[in-house]
Amino acid sequence: MRTDDFWAVVDRATAERPASPADVAERAVADLATHDPEEIVAWGRHLDKVLVASGKEDLWAAAYLINGGCTEEGFDNFRGWLVAHGRKAVAASVQSPDVLAGMPAVRAAAESGAVFEAEEVLTIAARAYEQATGKPLAADEERPRIRPEVNDLWDFDNEDEMRRRLPRLSELFLEPPD
């Protein structure tokens, strides 16, 4: 599947800005379920490519700041939330995670404590495949590693390092230094 075809499904699902990533996921499932099963599988593989490309240490740190902590599964779900915001949001945040500080929802989360996760987005292909075929999507034995190893990450609790790497997000989510 071509990158443009992958994002076209997301674009159609985000048309008229649905209320939530869960709504985006439901729309994408409905759209994708109308495709051939091979295309649905290819869409899921392309999502894995997006997850591999976005599996960056500093993006994980941004998710950690924004969500008040972030497990491996939480990082995957955070990237699901990003995918629900479209290609530009993913590309910009992968290139420079600190740009997330400019998103109105993220800025509001600094006050509200909102958490950004969308596991539903990560299951679009599986749900569309089952809807289209009546059978579960087989697990991909050759699924790529979609995030860094936890033990290889820098210490996200190191506020000085966080401020150095993600100054705009740190300004929003960390207490001012003494």
Side-chain angles (χ1 to χ4, degrees):
M1 173 168 281
R2 295 174 335 137
T3 299
D4 289 342
D5 297 332
F6 171 85
W7 286 109
V9 171
V10 175
D11 290 345
R12 288 189 297 273
T14 59
E16 302 167 22
R17 273 327 289 162
S20 71
D23 292 339
V24 171
E26 290 309 312
R27 288 178 177 192
V29 167
D31 179 343
L32 204 53
T34 66
H35 292 71
D36 290 331
E38 298 81 29
E39 289 181 59
I40 298 170
V41 170
W43 194 92
R45 285 191 182 127
H46 201 88
L47 177 61
D48 281 348
K49 289 179 184 179
V50 171
L51 294 174
V52 168
S54 64
K56 305 294 184 199
E57 190 173 29
D58 283 352
L59 184 58
W60 196 337
Y64 187 89
L65 264 180
I66 293 166
N67 285 347
C70 191
T71 63
E72 291 177 73
E73 185 177 294
F75 181 46
D76 296 346
N77 295 339
F78 178 81
R79 290 179 293 157
W81 175 81
L82 274 177
V83 168
H85 284 79
R87 188 178 197 170
K88 287 180 183 177
V90 172
S93 62
V94 168
Q95 184 175 4
S96 177
D98 212 30
V99 303
L100 291 166
M103 289 181 77
V106 171
R107 296 187 72 72
E111 297 295 322
S112 71
V115 172
F116 301 112
E117 295 184 341
E119 180 181 6
E120 310 88 349
V121 172
L122 304 178
T123 63
I124 289 170
R127 291 185 297 141
Y129 187 88
E130 188 160 355
Q131 190 173 323
T133 66
K135 299 175 186 171
L137 180 62
D140 188 351
E141 302 284 325
E142 299 175 22
R143 187 167 191 225
R145 178 118 185 100
I146 60 171
R147 73 183 89 76
E149 292 285 342
V150 172
N151 294 334
D152 294 338
L153 300 173
W154 54 275
D155 180 5
F156 295 162
D157 289 321
N158 180 333
E159 291 187 2
D160 291 335
E161 187 66 12
M162 194 65 84
R163 284 186 180 88
R164 187 182 75 72
R165 291 179 185 237
L166 302 167
R168 293 174 61 205
L169 285 169
S170 293
E171 187 177 315
L172 288 173
F173 292 95
L174 294 178
E175 295 294 322
D178 296 329

mmCIF file of all heavy atoms in Angstrom, residues 3-44:
data_model
loop_
_atom_site.group_PDB
_atom_site.id
_atom_site.type_symbol
_atom_site.label_atom_id
_atom_site.label_comp_id
_atom_site.label_asym_id
_atom_site.label_seq_id
_atom_site.Cartn_x
_atom_site.Cartn_y
_atom_site.Cartn_z
ATOM 1 N N THR A 3 1.864 5.122 0.695
ATOM 2 C CA THR A 3 1.681 6.025 1.829
ATOM 3 C C THR A 3 0.444 6.897 1.642
ATOM 4 O O THR A 3 -0.345 7.085 2.573
ATOM 5 C CB THR A 3 2.939 6.889 2.023
ATOM 6 O OG1 THR A 3 4.044 6.018 2.306
ATOM 7 C CG2 THR A 3 2.776 7.881 3.157
ATOM 8 N N ASP A 4 0.258 7.426 0.436
ATOM 9 C CA ASP A 4 -0.901 8.292 0.181
ATOM 10 C C ASP A 4 -2.216 7.543 0.371
ATOM 11 O O ASP A 4 -3.190 8.117 0.860
ATOM 12 C CB ASP A 4 -0.839 8.885 -1.233
ATOM 13 C CG ASP A 4 0.249 9.938 -1.378
ATOM 14 O OD1 ASP A 4 0.725 10.458 -0.346
ATOM 15 O OD2 ASP A 4 0.622 10.246 -2.524
ATOM 16 N N ASP A 5 -2.242 6.257 -0.012
ATOM 17 C CA ASP A 5 -3.463 5.458 0.162
ATOM 18 C C ASP A 5 -3.759 5.224 1.648
ATOM 19 O O ASP A 5 -4.916 5.258 2.074
ATOM 20 C CB ASP A 5 -3.343 4.119 -0.570
ATOM 21 C CG ASP A 5 -3.197 4.292 -2.074
ATOM 22 O OD1 ASP A 5 -3.693 5.298 -2.615
ATOM 23 O OD2 ASP A 5 -2.571 3.417 -2.712
ATOM 24 N N PHE A 6 -2.713 4.967 2.413
ATOM 25 C CA PHE A 6 -2.869 4.796 3.853
ATOM 26 C C PHE A 6 -3.487 6.055 4.467
ATOM 27 O O PHE A 6 -4.495 5.996 5.174
ATOM 28 C CB PHE A 6 -1.510 4.497 4.514
ATOM 29 C CG PHE A 6 -1.562 4.533 6.015
ATOM 30 C CD1 PHE A 6 -1.953 3.421 6.730
ATOM 31 C CD2 PHE A 6 -1.235 5.699 6.712
ATOM 32 C CE1 PHE A 6 -2.016 3.451 8.121
ATOM 33 C CE2 PHE A 6 -1.301 5.732 8.101
ATOM 34 C CZ PHE A 6 -1.689 4.609 8.800
ATOM 35 N N TRP A 7 -2.877 7.203 4.173
ATOM 36 C CA TRP A 7 -3.346 8.451 4.779
ATOM 37 C C TRP A 7 -4.698 8.888 4.221
ATOM 38 O O TRP A 7 -5.445 9.605 4.901
ATOM 39 C CB TRP A 7 -2.296 9.551 4.650
ATOM 40 C CG TRP A 7 -1.152 9.316 5.593
ATOM 41 C CD1 TRP A 7 0.115 8.942 5.258
ATOM 42 C CD2 TRP A 7 -1.186 9.393 7.018
ATOM 43 N NE1 TRP A 7 0.875 8.781 6.397
ATOM 44 C CE2 TRP A 7 0.101 9.059 7.489
ATOM 45 C CE3 TRP A 7 -2.170 9.706 7.947
ATOM 46 C CZ2 TRP A 7 0.421 9.039 8.844
ATOM 47 C CZ3 TRP A 7 -1.856 9.690 9.296
ATOM 48 C CH2 TRP A 7 -0.568 9.359 9.738
ATOM 49 N N ALA A 8 -5.059 8.449 3.027
ATOM 50 C CA ALA A 8 -6.379 8.789 2.475
ATOM 51 C C ALA A 8 -7.490 8.210 3.357
ATOM 52 O O ALA A 8 -8.527 8.858 3.548
ATOM 53 C CB ALA A 8 -6.502 8.282 1.039
ATOM 54 N N VAL A 9 -7.272 7.017 3.896
ATOM 55 C CA VAL A 9 -8.262 6.421 4.805
ATOM 56 C C VAL A 9 -8.401 7.300 6.052
ATOM 57 O O VAL A 9 -9.505 7.603 6.497
ATOM 58 C CB VAL A 9 -7.885 4.967 5.180
ATOM 59 C CG1 VAL A 9 -8.785 4.424 6.278
ATOM 60 C CG2 VAL A 9 -7.930 4.069 3.943
ATOM 61 N N VAL A 10 -7.271 7.735 6.593
ATOM 62 C CA VAL A 10 -7.296 8.596 7.777
ATOM 63 C C VAL A 10 -7.940 9.940 7.431
ATOM 64 O O VAL A 10 -8.765 10.452 8.198
ATOM 65 C CB VAL A 10 -5.878 8.788 8.356
ATOM 66 C CG1 VAL A 10 -5.884 9.770 9.520
ATOM 67 C CG2 VAL A 10 -5.285 7.441 8.782
ATOM 68 N N ASP A 11 -7.592 10.488 6.272
ATOM 69 C CA ASP A 11 -8.169 11.776 5.857
ATOM 70 C C ASP A 11 -9.687 11.697 5.747
ATOM 71 O O ASP A 11 -10.400 12.604 6.203
ATOM 72 C CB ASP A 11 -7.588 12.242 4.527
ATOM 73 C CG ASP A 11 -6.137 12.674 4.630
ATOM 74 O OD1 ASP A 11 -5.635 12.899 5.753
ATOM 75 O OD2 ASP A 11 -5.487 12.777 3.562
ATOM 76 N N ARG A 12 -10.176 10.632 5.155
ATOM 77 C CA ARG A 12 -11.637 10.484 5.053
ATOM 78 C C ARG A 12 -12.265 10.345 6.434
ATOM 79 O O ARG A 12 -13.352 10.857 6.696
ATOM 80 C CB ARG A 12 -11.994 9.293 4.156
ATOM 81 C CG ARG A 12 -11.727 9.550 2.677
ATOM 82 C CD ARG A 12 -12.286 8.459 1.783
ATOM 83 N NE ARG A 12 -11.698 7.149 1.983
ATOM 84 C CZ ARG A 12 -10.586 6.709 1.376
ATOM 85 N NH1 ARG A 12 -9.934 7.483 0.527
ATOM 86 N NH2 ARG A 12 -10.144 5.487 1.630
ATOM 87 N N ALA A 13 -11.567 9.665 7.327
ATOM 88 C CA ALA A 13 -12.091 9.460 8.686
ATOM 89 C C ALA A 13 -12.055 10.745 9.511
ATOM 90 O O ALA A 13 -12.826 10.879 10.462
ATOM 91 C CB ALA A 13 -11.312 8.354 9.392
ATOM 92 N N THR A 14 -11.174 11.669 9.148
ATOM 93 C CA THR A 14 -11.079 12.920 9.905
ATOM 94 C C THR A 14 -11.810 14.073 9.222
ATOM 95 O O THR A 14 -11.787 15.190 9.730
ATOM 96 C CB THR A 14 -9.606 13.326 10.134
ATOM 97 O OG1 THR A 14 -8.954 13.476 8.871
ATOM 98 C CG2 THR A 14 -8.879 12.317 10.998
ATOM 99 N N ALA A 15 -12.459 13.794 8.103
ATOM 100 C CA ALA A 15 -13.227 14.843 7.428
ATOM 101 C C ALA A 15 -14.279 15.382 8.394
ATOM 102 O O ALA A 15 -14.874 14.620 9.161
ATOM 103 C CB ALA A 15 -13.884 14.288 6.170
ATOM 104 N N GLU A 16 -14.473 16.653 8.364
ATOM 105 C CA GLU A 16 -15.455 17.311 9.242
ATOM 106 C C GLU A 16 -15.106 17.122 10.716
ATOM 107 O O GLU A 16 -15.981 17.103 11.569
ATOM 108 C CB GLU A 16 -16.872 16.824 8.936
ATOM 109 C CG GLU A 16 -17.290 17.050 7.501
ATOM 110 C CD GLU A 16 -18.546 16.280 7.142
ATOM 111 O OE1 GLU A 16 -19.319 15.916 8.058
ATOM 112 O OE2 GLU A 16 -18.747 16.045 5.958
ATOM 113 N N ARG A 17 -13.845 16.947 11.018
ATOM 114 C CA ARG A 17 -13.297 16.810 12.373
ATOM 115 C C ARG A 17 -14.247 16.131 13.360
ATOM 116 O O ARG A 17 -14.975 16.785 14.097
ATOM 117 C CB ARG A 17 -12.924 18.172 12.944
ATOM 118 C CG ARG A 17 -11.570 18.714 12.662
ATOM 119 C CD ARG A 17 -10.392 17.844 12.523
ATOM 120 N NE ARG A 17 -9.864 17.185 13.696
ATOM 121 C CZ ARG A 17 -9.060 16.147 13.607
ATOM 122 N NH1 ARG A 17 -8.702 15.655 12.456
ATOM 123 N NH2 ARG A 17 -8.588 15.582 14.672
ATOM 124 N N PRO A 18 -14.236 14.809 13.383
ATOM 125 C CA PRO A 18 -15.072 14.102 14.360
ATOM 126 C C PRO A 18 -14.667 14.475 15.787
ATOM 127 O O PRO A 18 -13.597 15.019 16.017
ATOM 128 C CB PRO A 18 -14.801 12.638 14.058
ATOM 129 C CG PRO A 18 -13.593 12.604 13.209
ATOM 130 C CD PRO A 18 -13.428 13.943 12.574
ATOM 131 N N ALA A 19 -15.514 14.167 16.700
ATOM 132 C CA ALA A 19 -15.340 14.590 18.090
ATOM 133 C C ALA A 19 -14.147 13.948 18.795
ATOM 134 O O ALA A 19 -13.580 14.540 19.690
ATOM 135 C CB ALA A 19 -16.614 14.291 18.874
ATOM 136 N N SER A 20 -13.753 12.762 18.401
ATOM 137 C CA SER A 20 -12.707 12.069 19.155
ATOM 138 C C SER A 20 -11.934 11.103 18.261
ATOM 139 O O SER A 20 -12.410 10.708 17.198
ATOM 140 C CB SER A 20 -13.342 11.281 20.299
ATOM 141 O OG SER A 20 -14.063 10.175 19.771
ATOM 142 N N PRO A 21 -10.736 10.689 18.721
ATOM 143 C CA PRO A 21 -10.003 9.654 17.994
ATOM 144 C C PRO A 21 -10.806 8.361 17.869
ATOM 145 O O PRO A 21 -10.663 7.641 16.884
ATOM 146 C CB PRO A 21 -8.742 9.458 18.825
ATOM 147 C CG PRO A 21 -8.523 10.787 19.465
ATOM 148 C CD PRO A 21 -9.920 11.271 19.791
ATOM 149 N N ALA A 22 -11.660 8.065 18.837
ATOM 150 C CA ALA A 22 -12.504 6.868 18.745
ATOM 151 C C ALA A 22 -13.450 6.986 17.555
ATOM 152 O O ALA A 22 -13.681 6.004 16.841
ATOM 153 C CB ALA A 22 -13.290 6.663 20.035
ATOM 154 N N ASP A 23 -13.983 8.198 17.322
ATOM 155 C CA ASP A 23 -14.834 8.425 16.152
ATOM 156 C C ASP A 23 -14.037 8.270 14.857
ATOM 157 O O ASP A 23 -14.532 7.699 13.886
ATOM 158 C CB ASP A 23 -15.464 9.821 16.193
ATOM 159 C CG ASP A 23 -16.475 9.980 17.307
ATOM 160 O OD1 ASP A 23 -16.998 8.960 17.798
ATOM 161 O OD2 ASP A 23 -16.742 11.146 17.687
ATOM 162 N N VAL A 24 -12.817 8.780 14.852
ATOM 163 C CA VAL A 24 -11.944 8.626 13.685
ATOM 164 C C VAL A 24 -11.738 7.139 13.410
ATOM 165 O O VAL A 24 -11.844 6.684 12.265
ATOM 166 C CB VAL A 24 -10.583 9.328 13.902
ATOM 167 C CG1 VAL A 24 -9.585 8.988 12.791
ATOM 168 C CG2 VAL A 24 -10.767 10.842 13.999
ATOM 169 N N ALA A 25 -11.449 6.373 14.450
ATOM 170 C CA ALA A 25 -11.215 4.936 14.297
ATOM 171 C C ALA A 25 -12.452 4.239 13.738
ATOM 172 O O ALA A 25 -12.331 3.410 12.828
ATOM 173 C CB ALA A 25 -10.804 4.312 15.631
ATOM 174 N N GLU A 26 -13.623 4.577 14.255
ATOM 175 C CA GLU A 26 -14.857 3.939 13.763
ATOM 176 C C GLU A 26 -15.090 4.255 12.293
ATOM 177 O O GLU A 26 -15.473 3.380 11.519
ATOM 178 C CB GLU A 26 -16.055 4.360 14.610
ATOM 179 C CG GLU A 26 -16.034 3.791 16.016
ATOM 180 C CD GLU A 26 -15.822 2.289 16.065
ATOM 181 O OE1 GLU A 26 -16.492 1.538 15.325
ATOM 182 O OE2 GLU A 26 -14.955 1.849 16.853
ATOM 183 N N ARG A 27 -14.859 5.488 11.914
ATOM 184 C CA ARG A 27 -15.025 5.868 10.508
ATOM 185 C C ARG A 27 -14.010 5.142 9.616
ATOM 186 O O ARG A 27 -14.345 4.701 8.524
ATOM 187 C CB ARG A 27 -14.852 7.373 10.339
ATOM 188 C CG ARG A 27 -15.989 8.186 10.892
ATOM 189 C CD ARG A 27 -15.687 9.650 10.701
ATOM 190 N NE ARG A 27 -16.777 10.490 11.163
ATOM 191 C CZ ARG A 27 -16.866 11.777 10.897
ATOM 192 N NH1 ARG A 27 -15.944 12.382 10.162
ATOM 193 N NH2 ARG A 27 -17.874 12.479 11.351
ATOM 194 N N ALA A 28 -12.778 5.041 10.104
ATOM 195 C CA ALA A 28 -11.740 4.358 9.325
ATOM 196 C C ALA A 28 -12.051 2.870 9.190
ATOM 197 O O ALA A 28 -11.837 2.284 8.122
ATOM 198 C CB ALA A 28 -10.372 4.566 9.971
ATOM 199 N N VAL A 29 -12.553 2.244 10.246
ATOM 200 C CA VAL A 29 -12.932 0.829 10.179
ATOM 201 C C VAL A 29 -14.013 0.641 9.124
ATOM 202 O O VAL A 29 -13.929 -0.258 8.273
ATOM 203 C CB VAL A 29 -13.405 0.300 11.553
ATOM 204 C CG1 VAL A 29 -14.090 -1.059 11.427
ATOM 205 C CG2 VAL A 29 -12.240 0.209 12.524
ATOM 206 N N ALA A 30 -15.030 1.480 9.162
ATOM 207 C CA ALA A 30 -16.136 1.368 8.201
ATOM 208 C C ALA A 30 -15.636 1.539 6.770
ATOM 209 O O ALA A 30 -16.041 0.805 5.868
ATOM 210 C CB ALA A 30 -17.217 2.397 8.526
ATOM 211 N N ASP A 31 -14.759 2.489 6.549
ATOM 212 C CA ASP A 31 -14.188 2.736 5.221
ATOM 213 C C ASP A 31 -13.334 1.548 4.787
ATOM 214 O O ASP A 31 -13.521 0.978 3.707
ATOM 215 C CB ASP A 31 -13.348 4.014 5.277
ATOM 216 C CG ASP A 31 -12.672 4.381 3.962
ATOM 217 O OD1 ASP A 31 -12.555 3.541 3.043
ATOM 218 O OD2 ASP A 31 -12.232 5.543 3.845
ATOM 219 N N LEU A 32 -12.407 1.165 5.627
ATOM 220 C CA LEU A 32 -11.456 0.106 5.274
ATOM 221 C C LEU A 32 -12.146 -1.236 5.069
ATOM 222 O O LEU A 32 -11.729 -2.039 4.224
ATOM 223 C CB LEU A 32 -10.397 0.007 6.371
ATOM 224 C CG LEU A 32 -9.049 -0.580 6.019
ATOM 225 C CD1 LEU A 32 -8.423 0.108 4.816
ATOM 226 C CD2 LEU A 32 -8.120 -0.499 7.213
ATOM 227 N N ALA A 33 -13.228 -1.491 5.776
ATOM 228 C CA ALA A 33 -13.957 -2.758 5.641
ATOM 229 C C ALA A 33 -14.566 -2.932 4.253
ATOM 230 O O ALA A 33 -14.917 -4.052 3.878
ATOM 231 C CB ALA A 33 -15.032 -2.865 6.716
ATOM 232 N N THR A 34 -14.646 -1.860 3.476
ATOM 233 C CA THR A 34 -15.167 -1.951 2.111
ATOM 234 C C THR A 34 -14.083 -2.341 1.107
ATOM 235 O O THR A 34 -14.382 -2.559 -0.055
ATOM 236 C CB THR A 34 -15.802 -0.618 1.661
ATOM 237 O OG1 THR A 34 -14.788 0.389 1.566
ATOM 238 C CG2 THR A 34 -16.909 -0.183 2.622
ATOM 239 N N HIS A 35 -12.845 -2.432 1.563
ATOM 240 C CA HIS A 35 -11.720 -2.783 0.702
ATOM 241 C C HIS A 35 -11.508 -4.299 0.673
ATOM 242 O O HIS A 35 -12.012 -5.022 1.525
ATOM 243 C CB HIS A 35 -10.434 -2.113 1.193
ATOM 244 C CG HIS A 35 -10.439 -0.626 1.046
ATOM 245 N ND1 HIS A 35 -11.210 0.214 1.816
ATOM 246 C CD2 HIS A 35 -9.744 0.178 0.222
ATOM 247 C CE1 HIS A 35 -10.995 1.464 1.468
ATOM 248 N NE2 HIS A 35 -10.110 1.469 0.492
ATOM 249 N N ASP A 36 -10.723 -4.754 -0.306
ATOM 250 C CA ASP A 36 -10.338 -6.165 -0.353
ATOM 251 C C ASP A 36 -9.540 -6.514 0.898
ATOM 252 O O ASP A 36 -8.781 -5.675 1.408
ATOM 253 C CB ASP A 36 -9.458 -6.439 -1.583
ATOM 254 C CG ASP A 36 -10.223 -6.345 -2.880
ATOM 255 O OD1 ASP A 36 -11.446 -6.607 -2.878
ATOM 256 O OD2 ASP A 36 -9.601 -5.999 -3.906
ATOM 257 N N PRO A 37 -9.675 -7.743 1.397
ATOM 258 C CA PRO A 37 -8.935 -8.146 2.594
ATOM 259 C C PRO A 37 -7.424 -7.913 2.483
ATOM 260 O O PRO A 37 -6.798 -7.513 3.477
ATOM 261 C CB PRO A 37 -9.266 -9.636 2.734
ATOM 262 C CG PRO A 37 -10.623 -9.765 2.115
ATOM 263 C CD PRO A 37 -10.615 -8.793 0.961
ATOM 264 N N GLU A 38 -6.857 -8.118 1.292
ATOM 265 C CA GLU A 38 -5.413 -7.899 1.123
ATOM 266 C C GLU A 38 -5.053 -6.434 1.347
ATOM 267 O O GLU A 38 -3.992 -6.113 1.880
ATOM 268 C CB GLU A 38 -4.954 -8.337 -0.279
ATOM 269 C CG GLU A 38 -5.148 -9.797 -0.580
ATOM 270 C CD GLU A 38 -6.588 -10.137 -1.009
ATOM 271 O OE1 GLU A 38 -7.298 -9.283 -1.583
ATOM 272 O OE2 GLU A 38 -7.007 -11.269 -0.736
ATOM 273 N N GLU A 39 -5.935 -5.537 0.933
ATOM 274 C CA GLU A 39 -5.691 -4.109 1.135
ATOM 275 C C GLU A 39 -5.798 -3.753 2.619
ATOM 276 O O GLU A 39 -5.065 -2.881 3.099
ATOM 277 C CB GLU A 39 -6.689 -3.270 0.341
ATOM 278 C CG GLU A 39 -6.455 -3.296 -1.153
ATOM 279 C CD GLU A 39 -7.475 -2.426 -1.883
ATOM 280 O OE1 GLU A 39 -7.520 -1.205 -1.588
ATOM 281 O OE2 GLU A 39 -8.213 -2.965 -2.713
ATOM 282 N N ILE A 40 -6.697 -4.405 3.319
ATOM 283 C CA ILE A 40 -6.840 -4.156 4.755
ATOM 284 C C ILE A 40 -5.568 -4.592 5.475
ATOM 285 O O ILE A 40 -5.034 -3.873 6.327
ATOM 286 C CB ILE A 40 -8.073 -4.887 5.322
ATOM 287 C CG1 ILE A 40 -9.350 -4.364 4.658
ATOM 288 C CG2 ILE A 40 -8.136 -4.732 6.841
ATOM 289 C CD1 ILE A 40 -10.601 -5.182 4.959
ATOM 290 N N VAL A 41 -5.057 -5.764 5.116
ATOM 291 C CA VAL A 41 -3.809 -6.261 5.704
ATOM 292 C C VAL A 41 -2.673 -5.291 5.382
ATOM 293 O O VAL A 41 -1.869 -4.945 6.262
ATOM 294 C CB VAL A 41 -3.482 -7.681 5.197
ATOM 295 C CG1 VAL A 41 -2.085 -8.107 5.603
ATOM 296 C CG2 VAL A 41 -4.524 -8.671 5.718
ATOM 297 N N ALA A 42 -2.614 -4.819 4.145
ATOM 298 C CA ALA A 42 -1.569 -3.872 3.742
ATOM 299 C C ALA A 42 -1.688 -2.567 4.526
ATOM 300 O O ALA A 42 -0.679 -1.962 4.904
ATOM 301 C CB ALA A 42 -1.647 -3.611 2.238
ATOM 302 N N TRP A 43 -2.916 -2.120 4.793
ATOM 303 C CA TRP A 43 -3.116 -0.912 5.578
ATOM 304 C C TRP A 43 -2.548 -1.108 6.980
ATOM 305 O O TRP A 43 -1.852 -0.237 7.510
ATOM 306 C CB TRP A 43 -4.605 -0.556 5.648
ATOM 307 C CG TRP A 43 -4.854 0.832 6.155
ATOM 308 C CD1 TRP A 43 -4.979 1.964 5.412
ATOM 309 C CD2 TRP A 43 -4.988 1.239 7.528
ATOM 310 N NE1 TRP A 43 -5.188 3.046 6.242
ATOM 311 C CE2 TRP A 43 -5.196 2.627 7.546
ATOM 312 C CE3 TRP A 43 -4.958 0.559 8.744
ATOM 313 C CZ2 TRP A 43 -5.368 3.357 8.718
ATOM 314 C CZ3 TRP A 43 -5.112 1.280 9.921
ATOM 315 C CH2 TRP A 43 -5.324 2.666 9.898
ATOM 316 N N GLY A 44 -2.816 -2.268 7.576
ATOM 317 C CA GLY A 44 -2.280 -2.567 8.900
ATOM 318 C C GLY A 44 -0.761 -2.602 8.915
ATOM 319 O O GLY A 44 -0.126 -2.123 9.865
#
